Amino acid sequence: MQNYRRKYEDCLRRVQKPARYIGNEFGSVHKEKTDDMMTFAFCFPDVYEVGMSHLGMKILYHMLNERDDTICERVFAPWDDMEQEMRKNGIPLLSMESCSPVGGFDIVGFTLQYEMSYSNVVNMLDLAGIPLRTSERGSGDPFICCGGPCAYHAEPLAELVDFFILGEGEEVNGEIMDVYKEWRGSGKDRDEFLMSLVGLGGIYVPKFYDVEYNDDNTIKRFEPNRPGVPKQVRKRIITDFDNCYAPEKLVVPFMETVHDRIMLEIFRGCIRGCRFCQAGYIYRPVRERSVKRLTGIAENCIRNTGYEEMSLSSLSTSDYTQRQDLIDDLLDITVDKRINLSLPSLRVDNFSMELMEKIQKVKKSGLTFAPEAGTQRLRDVINKNVLESDLIRTSKIAFGGGYNRIKLYFMLGLPTETYDDVLGIAELAKKVIDEGFFTIPPEKRKGRSVSITVSTSFFVPKPFTPFQWEPQDLISEMEAKAKYLKENIRSKKIVYNWHNSDISLLEAVFAKGDRRLGEVLITAHSLGCKFDGWSDFFDYDKWIEAFKANNIDPAFYANRRIGYDEILPWDYADIGVPKSFFIKEHKRAYEGKTTPDCREKCSGCGAASFGGGVCFE
Amino acid sequence: MSKRRLAFSKLNMAKYISHLDLLRCFTRAIMRAELPVVYSQGFNPHQKMTFSLPLSVGVTSSREFADIEFEDGISDSDIMKRLNLTLPPDIRILSVGAPEISANDIFAAEYEVTILSDSHCAELPDACKKFFAQPEVAIIKRTKKKGEQELNLMDFVESAEGFRECGDDARFSLTLSAGGQKNLKPEIAVEALIDHLSSQTDIKITGYNIHRTKILYDKNEPKEFN
Ligand code: SF4
């Protein structure tokens, strides 16, 4: 082990950003390993500065380390230069804290935040020297598990992963360690451990299910292959979110990370039900933390980290019911200490002048709004309750208040979209300038000029949304729409940029794919695919080669309209919202009918069965 | 309001913390310690902090120096005690006091250099010694201001001595010009040495370590900076 450390240290001399690999940050947890301790390698399948920006990892890392019987260490994907050094010098994937080989841990857990990190999961297993397929692993190998939002539809990883954790790790991870403790040394085999996990609920073990296919490649049968395994695994969530664990000590990185600040999680879930948004359904129901608890956490985090910035984290910050009180209380504890408070994810419709002035007291940055679609018709289809008049009114307030940069996010390729809807994006952006800025009398304008950035991404139909049955636009259609939009944006004050279309296709394939894609992943890895979320690495041609080599047509997954009665590869997961609700919502979308948010009126989505949150407010 | 000089060590993996990251690390440690620090005026106030002599990334040090301005009423020993609780483990405060010597008087820095080898080779220390005995070694120095320059390494070497074996490795002490007037990063000297060893000898070098042992001031009567 010491051996690796010396070689590893020396590699760092030859790589960019060596601070990615040094560990020993303030707040990192270093425990003495004794024989009776269990070890958990918490892997983030992306580079350090991305992984360290992720709140979920911080929570679970500290929570597992609070146990006396468990050591949890962090692992990140080494950047390409470091990977090459490691492979050249025979160094396997190592953990941050003790520089221990990941293959020697008891449990290796990956968090799956986005589909495009799957190739990194494969690469990290390979670099760790862990056999890639579950069927190839034996008694000397660790158990590989995955959690995070993609775990609800991670069939493409079914051949590689021993078990998936469905739901919130805070609720389940401790129990997993308890089961492991019992199992270890009991002489029982690996399957018996996995069977005990199944008993906890919220654990999906893909090898305990058999899948058969029809001639047209759709799924014929998806059934448990042994007694005691449920047909559907129900997610596990925290019902008492106000009193659940929240870390008050954090690891403070040396290098700048993507979100280099305290992230205060004010609630989980979202009351809205935007029909394209998976997060809006899988985290149901909304559960809030109280102002009192939040200020307590904030005070401790400030004391324990020394961070100069704090942001409120949630899917839609301005939906927090006690937002005025919370912001007042937080400003009380941050202003004197020169700590910036930033509020992301503001919604247009309930954005108030007062709220904005309060933030301004501390920091004024650009504002971001996400109308998602350019016309009211299409916004109704996707259930994004943003009115044009709201957006213009808010822009006016913002421009009048001294903001001079507004970013607008849209999606291209949404179900039912026409070229009029695409044109609507250009028109809406223009109106924000004409009516939001030019109607302000020149003497009252702060700042000489304003700019609008319009960003579009391509719609990716996601499992557990009303649009899960929808086909994605073909790449040619996506590009034609982006081009059309570009031609129709003529103002110099509007900047337009759009995301890559190839990658959106891959995202759709892996979001909706089945377990036959496991071999595609393995082939893609052998062709050198990794860091697919990074444009410097993403190589579409290699992926196409990998699909061809395995005789798989990506269009089958991405561009096909799926029937309501088809068995879906993610039917194994029960997120609390049944398919019938999504069918109802899908039909309403086509009728252009909106659905009220949870606080306006409950639409009976099913999530009330968890017995907490907004459903009982 | 008074300026204090903090002497600190930067060891182990902390050698890979860049100058900017170190600045941020100190700023946050001071926040955690809730020490009364002075902020600059202006639009973007920051803590008033300067390091006496930058340290290259990849080099450890026994004794570095940071000058930081504190409000009155906080004792040197309190600063040291509290910061040692809030700094990461590989950075330790060794002493705190009023700065007496100006960083402008720094002229050199002494390094302990270890040349790593996987196999034993008795000639290694001597080979290193011979390298530094040459009158002229051309090196390329890159600076933002002057771009690439070809210079003689030996113009920057104040002394190279104490060549010895250390297990399979070789170790020696190297003093190089440092400071505002004339400065050479130690890794440039060491990499020139390793280039020489790999092209002129059969010795297989696997890497190196550089550790700054002291900073020197007053060229006429060299003394350890403090
Ligand atoms: S049951 Fe009603 S209130 Fe609860 S999450 Fe579903 S729609 Fe919202």
Side-chain angles (χ1 to χ4, degrees):
Chain A
M1 210 170 86
Q2 211 51 32
N3 230 337
Y4 286 131
R5 192 189 280 272
R6 179 168 151 159
K7 277 197 202 165
Y8 188 71
E9 252 191 75
D10 203 62
C11 288
L12 299 188
R13 221 176 270 294
R14 297 181 293 273
V15 300
Q16 287 179 347
K17 304 194 184 177
R20 281 171 173 159
Y21 311 102
I22 60 179
N24 293 296
E25 310 95 317
F26 184 80
S28 61
V29 184
H30 297 257
K31 288 182 169 177
E32 187 82 43
K33 188 180 181 310
T34 53
D35 283 346
D36 53 334
M37 296 270 245
M38 296 178 283
T39 54
F40 190 103
F42 198 119
C43 305
F44 197 98
D46 208 321
V47 76
Y48 176 85
E49 58 268 36
V50 174
M52 283 304 289
S53 303
H54 183 247
L55 184 59
M57 179 167 205
K58 294 172 199 269
I59 298 172
L60 300 173
Y61 171 73
H62 289 285
M63 195 174 168
L64 272 178
N65 275 321
E66 295 221 329
R67 290 176 67 111
D68 291 332
D69 58 3
T70 305
I71 301 177
C72 177
E73 300 198 347
R74 294 163 298 153
V75 184
F76 301 94
W79 195 246
D80 185 50
D81 55 353
M82 185 61 174
E83 184 192 330
Q84 284 181 24
E85 285 289 339
M86 289 168 73
R87 289 193 188 271
K88 201 162 67 197
N89 290 287
I91 304 169
L93 187 65
L94 302 175
S95 66
M96 292 293 280
E97 281 74 8
S98 65
C99 271
S100 306
V102 171
F105 278 73
D106 294 329
I107 303 179
V108 175
F110 287 88
T111 175
L112 304 177
Q113 296 298 316
Y114 33 85
E115 293 82 5
M116 298 325 289
S117 67
Y118 291 178
S119 59
N120 270 13
V121 173
V122 184
N123 196 33
M124 286 170 81
L125 288 174
D126 180 57
L127 197 52
I130 299 170
L132 297 183
R133 298 171 184 83
T134 44
S135 56
E136 298 160 347
R137 289 195 284 268
S139 55
D141 296 311
F143 286 98
I144 309 300
C145 65
C146 291
C150 294
Y152 293 113
H153 53 102
E155 275 296 274
L157 288 170
E159 306 286 347
L160 293 88
V161 172
D162 295 304
F163 64 96
F164 289 94
I165 301 162
L166 308 192
E168 293 164 346
E170 296 105 309
E171 183 73 6
V172 198
N173 289 10
E175 295 173 20
I176 295 172
M177 298 320 292
D178 291 338
V179 170
Y180 188 84
K181 203 173 185 174
E182 286 264 310
W183 172 80
R184 180 182 59 175
S186 68
K188 293 181 179 165
D189 66 13
R190 285 170 75 90
D191 281 2
E192 283 172 283
F193 168 66
L194 295 172
M195 263 323 279
S196 315
L197 287 184
V198 168
L200 296 175
I203 305 286
Y204 168 60
V205 180
K207 69 185 276 198
F208 291 167
Y209 296 78
D210 288 335
V211 188
E212 283 170 36
Y213 303 93
N214 294 310
D215 291 340
D216 64 359
N217 277 327
T218 55
I219 296 172
K220 184 176 178 189
R221 217 179 127 261
F222 192 121
E223 294 289 333
N225 57 21
R226 62 190 71 199
V229 177
K231 192 165 161 55
Q232 262 202 321
V233 179
R234 189 168 165 84
K235 75 173 180 192
R236 297 268 310 266
I237 60 162
I238 300 155
T239 40
D240 187 1
F241 189 61
D242 194 31
N243 290 305
C244 85
Y245 177 82
E248 300 192 337
K249 283 186 190 142
L250 302 170
V251 178
V252 185
F254 289 112
M255 73 183 296
E256 253 181 320
T257 57
V258 181
H259 299 294
D260 203 13
R261 58 181 84 101
I262 297 166
M263 285 178 274
L264 199 59
E265 192 182 15
I266 56 177
F267 62 87
R268 208 166 277 180
C270 181
I271 55 168
R272 310 267 153 190
C274 298
R275 293 182 179 128
F276 55 85
C277 176
Q278 186 189 56
Y281 295 100
I282 59 176
Y283 294 110
R284 284 187 180 213
V286 165
R287 291 144 293 153
E288 284 195 350
R289 275 200 175 114
S290 64
V291 173
K292 189 159 161 272
R293 177 84 204 281
L294 287 168
T295 30
I297 298 171
E299 275 181 316
N300 286 330
C301 284
I302 291 170
R303 194 171 307 125
N304 293 327
T305 64
Y307 266 125
E308 50 295 293
E309 188 174 347
M310 181 160 69
S311 72
L312 303 186
S313 158
S314 73
L315 290 166
S316 167
T317 300
S318 47
D319 283 334
Y320 183 62
T321 50
Q322 311 296 313
R323 59 186 177 274
Q324 301 289 350
D325 288 348
L326 178 66
I327 288 168
D328 287 343
D329 285 9
L330 289 180
L331 286 173
D332 281 348
I333 60 173
T334 52
V335 172
D336 293 347
K337 295 197 163 92
R338 298 163 204 271
I339 294 166
N340 292 324
L341 193 61
S342 56
L343 308 178
S345 322
L346 286 168
R347 278 184 63 88
V348 187
D349 51 357
N350 50 13
F351 183 83
S352 76
M353 182 67 187
E354 198 191 343
L355 192 60
M356 199 171 74
E357 291 210 315
K358 280 179 180 163
I359 318 167
Q360 272 186 26
K361 228 156 95 182
V362 187
K363 194 184 182 184
K364 192 185 297 184
S365 50
L367 286 177
T368 302
F369 298 123
E372 306 292 1
T375 59
Q376 194 58 47
R377 184 201 73 79
L378 192 53
R379 284 195 294 274
D380 287 346
V381 168
I382 63 175
N383 203 39
K384 182 87 193 184
N385 298 333
V386 169
L387 297 175
E388 187 174 294
S389 52
D390 286 333
L391 182 63
I392 287 163
R393 181 179 49 84
T394 316
S395 310
K396 204 165 173 170
I397 297 172
F399 288 138
Y403 286 84
N404 50 20
R405 202 161 42 86
I406 291 184
K407 277 195 210 162
L408 299 175
Y409 282 111
F410 297 93
M411 254 184 253
L412 286 177
L414 287 161
T416 77
E417 182 185 58
T418 65
Y419 276 79
D420 286 343
D421 298 306
V422 179
L423 190 62
I425 296 175
E427 283 167 355
L428 187 59
K430 190 163 181 302
K431 273 188 199 157
V432 167
I433 298 241
D434 289 349
E435 292 169 35
F437 181 66
F438 285 120
T439 53
I440 303 173
E443 65 279 9
K444 284 202 176 150
R445 290 178 199 162
K446 297 188 183 155
R448 274 169 299 134
S449 186
V450 293
S451 76
I452 304 276
T453 306
V454 171
S455 295
T456 62
S457 58
F458 293 107
F459 167 68
V460 178
K462 290 276 172 113
F464 302 108
T465 67
F467 292 155
Q468 62 183 356
W469 297 280
E470 288 287 329
Q472 187 180 43
D473 271 355
L474 297 172
I475 288 180
S476 54
E477 289 165 333
M478 295 190 210
E479 279 166 3
K481 284 177 180 170
K483 191 163 161 268
Y484 182 70
L485 178 53
K486 177 142 189 68
E487 284 163 6
N488 281 287
I489 292 179
R490 295 194 187 90
S491 165
K492 283 209 179 76
K493 292 194 186 324
I494 306 175
V495 181
Y496 174 46
N497 47 50
W498 66 94
H499 289 224
N500 193 321
S501 52
D502 307 346
I503 210 156
S504 308
L505 167 73
L506 260 283
E507 246 180 274
V509 172
F510 284 96
K512 301 210 288 177
D514 56 45
R515 48 176 78 182
R516 288 171 295 189
L517 291 178
E519 291 303 321
V520 176
L521 276 172
I522 292 174
T523 310
H525 168 255
S526 68
L527 293 170
C529 292
K530 61 183 159 194
F531 285 110
D532 292 300
W534 297 76
S535 52
D536 13 353
F537 282 100
F538 178 67
D539 189 338
Y540 181 67
D541 296 339
K542 280 186 188 153
W543 279 102
I544 294 306
E545 198 182 330
F547 284 115
K548 282 217 179 88
N550 290 283
N551 228 337
I552 280 179
D553 176 14
F556 171 78
Y557 299 102
N559 308 113
R560 184 175 63 92
R561 178 171 295 282
I562 302 171
Y564 288 148
D565 51 359
E566 216 177 273
I567 298 174
L568 304 171
W570 53 93
D571 278 346
Y572 66 80
D574 171 9
I575 62 157
V577 181
K579 212 184 246 188
S580 54
F581 182 79
F582 290 130
I583 294 176
K584 205 168 81 194
E585 278 293 298
H586 188 236
K587 288 180 175 156
R588 286 177 74 88
Y590 273 81
E591 290 159 11
K593 282 191 193 145
T594 60
T595 296
D597 71 56
C598 293
R599 290 213 173 86
E600 209 182 316
K601 183 175 173 290
C602 167
S603 2
C605 78
S609 60
F610 291 105
V614 66
C615 326
F616 298 89
E617 267 171 15
Chain B
M1 216 156 73
S2 67
K3 196 186 267 182
R4 314 288 173 92
R5 179 161 293 167
L6 283 65
F8 64 95
S9 58
K10 192 176 180 229
L11 300 173
N12 304 319
M13 293 290 234
K15 68 181 168 196
Y16 288 114
I17 302 168
S18 71
H19 186 70
L20 214 69
D21 290 348
L22 186 67
L23 203 82
R24 196 169 32 235
C25 169
F26 264 96
T27 308
R28 288 175 181 166
I30 287 168
M31 291 283 281
R32 293 191 285 267
E34 297 181 359
L35 288 167
V37 68
V38 176
Y39 280 82
S40 66
Q41 301 295 312
F43 186 69
N44 196 2
H46 53 269
Q47 299 181 5
K48 290 181 147 182
M49 190 182 303
T50 50
F51 292 94
S52 299
L53 183 66
L55 184 67
S56 296
V57 173
V59 178
T60 51
S61 176
S62 309
R63 222 172 160 77
E64 290 297 295
F65 301 92
D67 291 352
I68 302 174
E69 253 179 73
F70 289 95
E71 303 281 3
D72 291 334
I74 178 95
S75 72
D76 291 343
S77 62
D78 252 11
I79 293 175
M80 174 155 152
K81 209 165 56 203
R82 278 154 71 176
L83 272 181
N84 273 335
L85 291 174
T86 60
L87 277 166
D90 292 336
I91 297 169
R92 295 290 90 196
I93 305 289
L94 307 170
S95 67
V96 178
E100 279 161 15
I101 308 146
S102 160
N104 294 331
D105 294 338
I106 293 172
F107 79 97
E110 184 189 288
Y111 302 91
E112 183 188 77
V113 179
T114 311
I115 304 295
L116 307 177
S117 171
D118 267 350
S119 52
H120 183 80
C121 172
E123 297 92 72
L124 182 55
D126 223 41
C128 296
K129 189 174 176 180
K130 278 194 192 123
F131 173 79
F132 285 105
Q134 302 174 94
E136 217 176 297
V137 174
I139 49 162
I140 304 283
K141 198 179 160 195
R142 289 178 190 87
T143 52
K144 275 201 195 96
K145 255 192 251 151
K146 295 181 188 157
E148 275 192 12
Q149 270 178 294
E150 199 183 290
L151 297 165
N152 179 9
L153 166 64
M154 294 310 155
D155 290 347
F156 296 89
V157 177
E158 298 280 335
S159 74
E161 58 199 23
F163 296 90
R164 60 196 186 275
E165 274 183 88
C166 185
D168 291 341
D169 308 334
R171 188 168 282 174
F172 58 93
S173 158
L174 180 67
T175 306
L176 297 173
S177 307
Q181 302 295 325
K182 196 171 154 198
N183 189 71
L184 187 75
K185 291 180 173 173
E187 65 273 24
I188 296 183
V190 173
E191 273 162 20
L193 163 66
I194 291 178
D195 276 353
H196 169 86
L197 293 175
S198 11
S199 60
Q200 307 296 319
T201 72
D202 298 330
I203 309 168
K204 201 171 157 359
I205 305 302
T206 56
Y208 62 83
N209 280 326
I210 306 174
H211 177 76
R212 182 140 87 189
T213 42
K214 52 174 90 113
I215 296 173
L216 300 166
Y217 77 101
D218 193 353
K219 192 156 171 76
N220 301 322
E221 246 179 277
K223 290 180 278 283
E224 185 171 351
F225 183 82
N226 231 312

